[in-house]
Amino acid sequence: MAAAGLLRATYFLVPEEAERELHSEKLAYLQLVILVIGAGGAVVGYLFHIHEGREFLEQPLWVKLGINVAALIFLYNVTMTVLQAARRRSPTSCCWGFGALPSSSCSRSNPANLALDKMYWWYVVHLWVEGVSW
């Protein structure tokens, strides 16, 4: 749930920097519910061997789609908060990194080419590592 930590910190810092309230708290809670259900589904799926068997990308397709929907909600909510801010320079630069977050959808494919598979794996894993550690 490192992603939840990233989202929680962002929802705290971006409104503070933008000097305004979050665009939609309801969307933030919806996103949290999607992520919690997805995380639970991934764990249950893994315990009952319902997974793709790829390291760090073993979630079933419906969980990956849910993660992408939650990431898009997050991106929309943060972007709208920043765009409605009084001063935009600092929070706007934070949003550029969030633009790549939903691109983890590339992990939905399971290519037969091992090199392409490892490229997708590397991209998704490092996207989360760099996204969480900034």
Side-chain angles (χ1 to χ4, degrees), residues 21-127:
E21 295 296 317
L22 188 63
H23 176 68
S24 173
E25 285 186 28
K26 290 180 182 180
L27 283 176
Y29 283 116
L30 173 65
Q31 173 198 344
L32 176 65
V33 168
I34 291 170
L35 284 176
V36 169
I37 291 171
V43 170
V44 169
Y46 190 73
L47 289 174
F48 291 103
H49 304 288
I50 305 170
H51 57 81
E52 293 181 12
R54 299 166 65 205
E55 187 180 21
F56 300 115
L57 303 176
E58 60 265 350
Q59 305 90 0
L61 180 61
W62 68 269
V63 173
K64 292 177 186 178
L65 293 174
I67 290 171
N68 284 333
V69 167
L72 289 171
I73 291 171
F74 171 73
L75 184 61
Y76 171 78
N77 214 0
V78 170
T79 302
M80 292 306 293
T81 302
V82 168
L83 289 178
Q84 297 169 356
R87 57 181 198 142
R88 294 186 183 176
R89 191 179 70 192
S90 178
T92 304
S93 63
C94 292
C95 286
W96 287 106
F98 299 139
L101 191 61
S103 67
S104 65
S105 63
C106 66
S107 65
R108 287 183 294 174
S109 64
N110 196 358
N113 184 336
L114 183 60
L116 191 58
D117 181 52
K118 290 303 178 187
M119 184 200 69
Y120 285 154
W121 175 88
W122 183 91
Y123 183 72
V124 171
V125 169
H126 287 278
L127 179 67

